[in-house]
Amino acid sequence: TGSANLMWGGLVIFLLFGAGATAAFTFRGLGAAAMMVAGCVCLLAGMTLTLFAILTTTAAAFFLGAAIAGPGFGLAFLGSFRRITALATATERAGVVAAVYVVGYLAFSVPALIAGTAVTRFGLHPTALIYSASLAGLAAVALVILSAVNMLIPRRNAGGQG
């Protein structure tokens, strides 16, 4: 944002995770597959807008990108969590949930550590561009894979867990 005021950084975090939690709660009745697809669409749109915002140094677009990517994360996480836990038996479920959270924490921490190292070598702006572009690319790949899988595998359960 170009501001030394730390409140702006807090607002980005609030928009990202607040909007993500709100979307997950609001759309909790959707099936898992629909949540994952909607999440990937929002992540792709939000990260593309964030990339544009970083390229053009447009603060409003940066905040809007976070507000769009947040629901993407919330829906994609809840949908994938539902899909994975539905596949586990009752005796496996605790281990599966623990594994999901371990992978989730690694998915957040490892790229952040790499980006932190890259910032010291290449600077914040190029690192943020590559980081945003990478996330948008991953969301696009996930969307293609989900679309292919959803077309190939018939729905077994039309309810909220499908």
PDB file of all heavy atoms in Angstrom, residues 79-105:
ATOM      1  N   GLY A  79     -14.360 -27.605   1.244  1.00  0.00           N
ATOM      2  CA  GLY A  79     -14.757 -28.634   0.281  1.00  0.00           C
ATOM      3  C   GLY A  79     -13.790 -29.799   0.257  1.00  0.00           C
ATOM      4  O   GLY A  79     -14.196 -30.967   0.275  1.00  0.00           O
ATOM      5  N   SER A  80     -12.494 -29.507   0.228  1.00  0.00           N
ATOM      6  CA  SER A  80     -11.512 -30.592   0.204  1.00  0.00           C
ATOM      7  C   SER A  80     -11.494 -31.343   1.528  1.00  0.00           C
ATOM      8  O   SER A  80     -11.353 -32.568   1.556  1.00  0.00           O
ATOM      9  CB  SER A  80     -10.123 -30.050  -0.131  1.00  0.00           C
ATOM     10  OG  SER A  80      -9.698 -29.118   0.832  1.00  0.00           O
ATOM     11  N   PHE A  81     -11.686 -30.634   2.631  1.00  0.00           N
ATOM     12  CA  PHE A  81     -11.744 -31.266   3.941  1.00  0.00           C
ATOM     13  C   PHE A  81     -12.918 -32.249   3.997  1.00  0.00           C
ATOM     14  O   PHE A  81     -12.785 -33.375   4.465  1.00  0.00           O
ATOM     15  CB  PHE A  81     -11.869 -30.192   5.026  1.00  0.00           C
ATOM     16  CG  PHE A  81     -11.697 -30.703   6.420  1.00  0.00           C
ATOM     17  CD1 PHE A  81     -10.438 -30.871   6.948  1.00  0.00           C
ATOM     18  CD2 PHE A  81     -12.797 -31.005   7.214  1.00  0.00           C
ATOM     19  CE1 PHE A  81     -10.255 -31.333   8.239  1.00  0.00           C
ATOM     20  CE2 PHE A  81     -12.634 -31.473   8.495  1.00  0.00           C
ATOM     21  CZ  PHE A  81     -11.362 -31.638   9.013  1.00  0.00           C
ATOM     22  N   ARG A  82     -14.068 -31.798   3.506  1.00  0.00           N
ATOM     23  CA  ARG A  82     -15.238 -32.680   3.482  1.00  0.00           C
ATOM     24  C   ARG A  82     -15.006 -33.904   2.598  1.00  0.00           C
ATOM     25  O   ARG A  82     -15.364 -35.020   2.954  1.00  0.00           O
ATOM     26  CB  ARG A  82     -16.463 -31.932   2.962  1.00  0.00           C
ATOM     27  CG  ARG A  82     -17.116 -31.077   3.975  1.00  0.00           C
ATOM     28  CD  ARG A  82     -18.368 -30.497   3.390  1.00  0.00           C
ATOM     29  NE  ARG A  82     -19.064 -29.700   4.380  1.00  0.00           N
ATOM     30  CZ  ARG A  82     -20.162 -29.031   4.137  1.00  0.00           C
ATOM     31  NH1 ARG A  82     -20.686 -29.047   2.921  1.00  0.00           N
ATOM     32  NH2 ARG A  82     -20.741 -28.345   5.083  1.00  0.00           N
ATOM     33  N   ARG A  83     -14.439 -33.673   1.440  1.00  0.00           N
ATOM     34  CA  ARG A  83     -14.211 -34.775   0.499  1.00  0.00           C
ATOM     35  C   ARG A  83     -13.248 -35.794   1.098  1.00  0.00           C
ATOM     36  O   ARG A  83     -13.481 -36.999   1.026  1.00  0.00           O
ATOM     37  CB  ARG A  83     -13.674 -34.203  -0.815  1.00  0.00           C
ATOM     38  CG  ARG A  83     -13.269 -35.192  -1.879  1.00  0.00           C
ATOM     39  CD  ARG A  83     -14.394 -35.979  -2.543  1.00  0.00           C
ATOM     40  NE  ARG A  83     -15.389 -35.211  -3.215  1.00  0.00           N
ATOM     41  CZ  ARG A  83     -15.431 -34.939  -4.513  1.00  0.00           C
ATOM     42  NH1 ARG A  83     -14.463 -35.360  -5.297  1.00  0.00           N
ATOM     43  NH2 ARG A  83     -16.423 -34.269  -5.029  1.00  0.00           N
ATOM     44  N   ILE A  84     -12.179 -35.333   1.691  1.00  0.00           N
ATOM     45  CA  ILE A  84     -11.165 -36.240   2.232  1.00  0.00           C
ATOM     46  C   ILE A  84     -11.680 -36.986   3.449  1.00  0.00           C
ATOM     47  O   ILE A  84     -11.505 -38.204   3.563  1.00  0.00           O
ATOM     48  CB  ILE A  84      -9.874 -35.466   2.566  1.00  0.00           C
ATOM     49  CG1 ILE A  84      -9.205 -35.002   1.274  1.00  0.00           C
ATOM     50  CG2 ILE A  84      -8.910 -36.308   3.387  1.00  0.00           C
ATOM     51  CD1 ILE A  84      -8.099 -33.988   1.473  1.00  0.00           C
ATOM     52  N   THR A  85     -12.320 -36.285   4.375  1.00  0.00           N
ATOM     53  CA  THR A  85     -12.793 -36.962   5.583  1.00  0.00           C
ATOM     54  C   THR A  85     -13.930 -37.931   5.285  1.00  0.00           C
ATOM     55  O   THR A  85     -14.095 -38.921   5.993  1.00  0.00           O
ATOM     56  CB  THR A  85     -13.220 -35.960   6.675  1.00  0.00           C
ATOM     57  OG1 THR A  85     -14.209 -35.077   6.146  1.00  0.00           O
ATOM     58  CG2 THR A  85     -12.030 -35.175   7.192  1.00  0.00           C
ATOM     59  N   ALA A  86     -14.692 -37.674   4.233  1.00  0.00           N
ATOM     60  CA  ALA A  86     -15.770 -38.598   3.866  1.00  0.00           C
ATOM     61  C   ALA A  86     -15.216 -39.934   3.365  1.00  0.00           C
ATOM     62  O   ALA A  86     -15.892 -40.957   3.456  1.00  0.00           O
ATOM     63  CB  ALA A  86     -16.662 -37.968   2.800  1.00  0.00           C
ATOM     64  N   LEU A  87     -13.999 -39.916   2.856  1.00  0.00           N
ATOM     65  CA  LEU A  87     -13.389 -41.145   2.351  1.00  0.00           C
ATOM     66  C   LEU A  87     -12.782 -42.002   3.456  1.00  0.00           C
ATOM     67  O   LEU A  87     -12.510 -43.181   3.250  1.00  0.00           O
ATOM     68  CB  LEU A  87     -12.302 -40.798   1.325  1.00  0.00           C
ATOM     69  CG  LEU A  87     -12.777 -40.085   0.066  1.00  0.00           C
ATOM     70  CD1 LEU A  87     -11.582 -39.650  -0.786  1.00  0.00           C
ATOM     71  CD2 LEU A  87     -13.726 -40.964  -0.731  1.00  0.00           C
ATOM     72  N   ALA A  88     -12.559 -41.418   4.619  1.00  0.00           N
ATOM     73  CA  ALA A  88     -11.922 -42.139   5.714  1.00  0.00           C
ATOM     74  C   ALA A  88     -12.958 -42.904   6.533  1.00  0.00           C
ATOM     75  O   ALA A  88     -14.085 -42.455   6.714  1.00  0.00           O
ATOM     76  CB  ALA A  88     -11.184 -41.159   6.617  1.00  0.00           C
ATOM     77  N   THR A  89     -12.536 -44.059   7.042  1.00  0.00           N
ATOM     78  CA  THR A  89     -13.401 -44.799   7.960  1.00  0.00           C
ATOM     79  C   THR A  89     -13.353 -44.107   9.316  1.00  0.00           C
ATOM     80  O   THR A  89     -12.492 -43.253   9.572  1.00  0.00           O
ATOM     81  CB  THR A  89     -12.928 -46.256   8.119  1.00  0.00           C
ATOM     82  OG1 THR A  89     -11.646 -46.256   8.734  1.00  0.00           O
ATOM     83  CG2 THR A  89     -12.867 -46.971   6.771  1.00  0.00           C
ATOM     84  N   ALA A  90     -14.256 -44.496  10.193  1.00  0.00           N
ATOM     85  CA  ALA A  90     -14.326 -43.872  11.518  1.00  0.00           C
ATOM     86  C   ALA A  90     -13.014 -44.022  12.282  1.00  0.00           C
ATOM     87  O   ALA A  90     -12.588 -43.112  12.996  1.00  0.00           O
ATOM     88  CB  ALA A  90     -15.482 -44.462  12.320  1.00  0.00           C
ATOM     89  N   THR A  91     -12.335 -45.157  12.126  1.00  0.00           N
ATOM     90  CA  THR A  91     -11.079 -45.378  12.851  1.00  0.00           C
ATOM     91  C   THR A  91      -9.904 -44.627  12.226  1.00  0.00           C
ATOM     92  O   THR A  91      -8.898 -44.413  12.890  1.00  0.00           O
ATOM     93  CB  THR A  91     -10.738 -46.885  12.908  1.00  0.00           C
ATOM     94  OG1 THR A  91     -10.647 -47.381  11.576  1.00  0.00           O
ATOM     95  CG2 THR A  91     -11.790 -47.652  13.691  1.00  0.00           C
ATOM     96  N   GLU A  92     -10.033 -44.220  10.980  1.00  0.00           N
ATOM     97  CA  GLU A  92      -8.973 -43.485  10.291  1.00  0.00           C
ATOM     98  C   GLU A  92      -9.156 -41.975  10.350  1.00  0.00           C
ATOM     99  O   GLU A  92      -8.227 -41.224  10.066  1.00  0.00           O
ATOM    100  CB  GLU A  92      -8.932 -43.877   8.805  1.00  0.00           C
ATOM    101  CG  GLU A  92      -8.656 -45.325   8.533  1.00  0.00           C
ATOM    102  CD  GLU A  92      -8.876 -45.665   7.067  1.00  0.00           C
ATOM    103  OE1 GLU A  92      -9.781 -45.080   6.434  1.00  0.00           O
ATOM    104  OE2 GLU A  92      -8.138 -46.510   6.552  1.00  0.00           O
ATOM    105  N   ARG A  93     -10.338 -41.529  10.699  1.00  0.00           N
ATOM    106  CA  ARG A  93     -10.692 -40.114  10.543  1.00  0.00           C
ATOM    107  C   ARG A  93      -9.774 -39.178  11.328  1.00  0.00           C
ATOM    108  O   ARG A  93      -9.363 -38.143  10.810  1.00  0.00           O
ATOM    109  CB  ARG A  93     -12.150 -39.884  10.923  1.00  0.00           C
ATOM    110  CG  ARG A  93     -12.673 -38.586  10.345  1.00  0.00           C
ATOM    111  CD  ARG A  93     -14.168 -38.527  10.212  1.00  0.00           C
ATOM    112  NE  ARG A  93     -14.630 -39.444   9.173  1.00  0.00           N
ATOM    113  CZ  ARG A  93     -15.610 -40.326   9.337  1.00  0.00           C
ATOM    114  NH1 ARG A  93     -16.254 -40.403  10.479  1.00  0.00           N
ATOM    115  NH2 ARG A  93     -15.962 -41.128   8.365  1.00  0.00           N
ATOM    116  N   ALA A  94      -9.430 -39.496  12.553  1.00  0.00           N
ATOM    117  CA  ALA A  94      -8.571 -38.610  13.355  1.00  0.00           C
ATOM    118  C   ALA A  94      -7.205 -38.453  12.701  1.00  0.00           C
ATOM    119  O   ALA A  94      -6.660 -37.348  12.622  1.00  0.00           O
ATOM    120  CB  ALA A  94      -8.420 -39.144  14.776  1.00  0.00           C
ATOM    121  N   GLY A  95      -6.652 -39.539  12.212  1.00  0.00           N
ATOM    122  CA  GLY A  95      -5.357 -39.483  11.532  1.00  0.00           C
ATOM    123  C   GLY A  95      -5.430 -38.688  10.243  1.00  0.00           C
ATOM    124  O   GLY A  95      -4.517 -37.932   9.913  1.00  0.00           O
ATOM    125  N   VAL A  96      -6.530 -38.838   9.510  1.00  0.00           N
ATOM    126  CA  VAL A  96      -6.712 -38.096   8.264  1.00  0.00           C
ATOM    127  C   VAL A  96      -6.825 -36.597   8.548  1.00  0.00           C
ATOM    128  O   VAL A  96      -6.204 -35.775   7.866  1.00  0.00           O
ATOM    129  CB  VAL A  96      -7.944 -38.618   7.488  1.00  0.00           C
ATOM    130  CG1 VAL A  96      -8.311 -37.697   6.348  1.00  0.00           C
ATOM    131  CG2 VAL A  96      -7.686 -40.023   6.971  1.00  0.00           C
ATOM    132  N   VAL A  97      -7.602 -36.243   9.566  1.00  0.00           N
ATOM    133  CA  VAL A  97      -7.749 -34.824   9.923  1.00  0.00           C
ATOM    134  C   VAL A  97      -6.392 -34.246  10.332  1.00  0.00           C
ATOM    135  O   VAL A  97      -6.023 -33.138   9.920  1.00  0.00           O
ATOM    136  CB  VAL A  97      -8.802 -34.641  11.039  1.00  0.00           C
ATOM    137  CG1 VAL A  97      -8.761 -33.242  11.613  1.00  0.00           C
ATOM    138  CG2 VAL A  97     -10.185 -34.962  10.491  1.00  0.00           C
ATOM    139  N   ALA A  98      -5.638 -34.997  11.136  1.00  0.00           N
ATOM    140  CA  ALA A  98      -4.308 -34.525  11.544  1.00  0.00           C
ATOM    141  C   ALA A  98      -3.412 -34.333  10.319  1.00  0.00           C
ATOM    142  O   ALA A  98      -2.699 -33.326  10.217  1.00  0.00           O
ATOM    143  CB  ALA A  98      -3.675 -35.513  12.518  1.00  0.00           C
ATOM    144  N   ALA A  99      -3.453 -35.277   9.382  1.00  0.00           N
ATOM    145  CA  ALA A  99      -2.635 -35.168   8.172  1.00  0.00           C
ATOM    146  C   ALA A  99      -3.042 -33.966   7.329  1.00  0.00           C
ATOM    147  O   ALA A  99      -2.182 -33.270   6.782  1.00  0.00           O
ATOM    148  CB  ALA A  99      -2.746 -36.450   7.350  1.00  0.00           C
ATOM    149  N   VAL A 100      -4.333 -33.710   7.230  1.00  0.00           N
ATOM    150  CA  VAL A 100      -4.811 -32.542   6.474  1.00  0.00           C
ATOM    151  C   VAL A 100      -4.248 -31.258   7.072  1.00  0.00           C
ATOM    152  O   VAL A 100      -3.770 -30.378   6.347  1.00  0.00           O
ATOM    153  CB  VAL A 100      -6.356 -32.499   6.433  1.00  0.00           C
ATOM    154  CG1 VAL A 100      -6.859 -31.150   5.956  1.00  0.00           C
ATOM    155  CG2 VAL A 100      -6.904 -33.612   5.551  1.00  0.00           C
ATOM    156  N   TYR A 101      -4.277 -31.150   8.390  1.00  0.00           N
ATOM    157  CA  TYR A 101      -3.761 -29.939   9.024  1.00  0.00           C
ATOM    158  C   TYR A 101      -2.246 -29.822   8.906  1.00  0.00           C
ATOM    159  O   TYR A 101      -1.718 -28.723   8.723  1.00  0.00           O
ATOM    160  CB  TYR A 101      -4.232 -29.830  10.476  1.00  0.00           C
ATOM    161  CG  TYR A 101      -5.626 -29.279  10.541  1.00  0.00           C
ATOM    162  CD1 TYR A 101      -6.712 -30.097  10.813  1.00  0.00           C
ATOM    163  CD2 TYR A 101      -5.870 -27.929  10.281  1.00  0.00           C
ATOM    164  CE1 TYR A 101      -8.003 -29.590  10.850  1.00  0.00           C
ATOM    165  CE2 TYR A 101      -7.154 -27.418  10.311  1.00  0.00           C
ATOM    166  CZ  TYR A 101      -8.215 -28.250  10.592  1.00  0.00           C
ATOM    167  OH  TYR A 101      -9.480 -27.750  10.614  1.00  0.00           O
ATOM    168  N   VAL A 102      -1.529 -30.933   8.991  1.00  0.00           N
ATOM    169  CA  VAL A 102      -0.075 -30.890   8.808  1.00  0.00           C
ATOM    170  C   VAL A 102       0.259 -30.405   7.392  1.00  0.00           C
ATOM    171  O   VAL A 102       1.089 -29.509   7.211  1.00  0.00           O
ATOM    172  CB  VAL A 102       0.566 -32.266   9.085  1.00  0.00           C
ATOM    173  CG1 VAL A 102       2.008 -32.316   8.593  1.00  0.00           C
ATOM    174  CG2 VAL A 102       0.504 -32.594  10.566  1.00  0.00           C
ATOM    175  N   VAL A 103      -0.411 -30.971   6.397  1.00  0.00           N
ATOM    176  CA  VAL A 103      -0.184 -30.547   5.016  1.00  0.00           C
ATOM    177  C   VAL A 103      -0.585 -29.083   4.833  1.00  0.00           C
ATOM    178  O   VAL A 103       0.113 -28.311   4.170  1.00  0.00           O
ATOM    179  CB  VAL A 103      -0.935 -31.471   4.023  1.00  0.00           C
ATOM    180  CG1 VAL A 103      -0.909 -30.909   2.612  1.00  0.00           C
ATOM    181  CG2 VAL A 103      -0.341 -32.867   4.055  1.00  0.00           C
ATOM    182  N   GLY A 104      -1.700 -28.692   5.449  1.00  0.00           N
ATOM    183  CA  GLY A 104      -2.143 -27.299   5.359  1.00  0.00           C
ATOM    184  C   GLY A 104      -1.127 -26.328   5.941  1.00  0.00           C
ATOM    185  O   GLY A 104      -0.817 -25.298   5.336  1.00  0.00           O
ATOM    186  N   TYR A 105      -0.600 -26.651   7.110  1.00  0.00           N
ATOM    187  CA  TYR A 105       0.401 -25.777   7.729  1.00  0.00           C
ATOM    188  C   TYR A 105       1.673 -25.729   6.887  1.00  0.00           C
ATOM    189  O   TYR A 105       2.291 -24.673   6.738  1.00  0.00           O
ATOM    190  CB  TYR A 105       0.706 -26.205   9.161  1.00  0.00           C
ATOM    191  CG  TYR A 105      -0.392 -25.854  10.122  1.00  0.00           C
ATOM    192  CD1 TYR A 105      -1.020 -26.815  10.902  1.00  0.00           C
ATOM    193  CD2 TYR A 105      -0.826 -24.532  10.251  1.00  0.00           C
ATOM    194  CE1 TYR A 105      -2.039 -26.489  11.778  1.00  0.00           C
ATOM    195  CE2 TYR A 105      -1.838 -24.192  11.123  1.00  0.00           C
ATOM    196  CZ  TYR A 105      -2.449 -25.178  11.880  1.00  0.00           C
ATOM    197  OH  TYR A 105      -3.454 -24.845  12.744  1.00  0.00           O
TER     198      TYR A 105
END
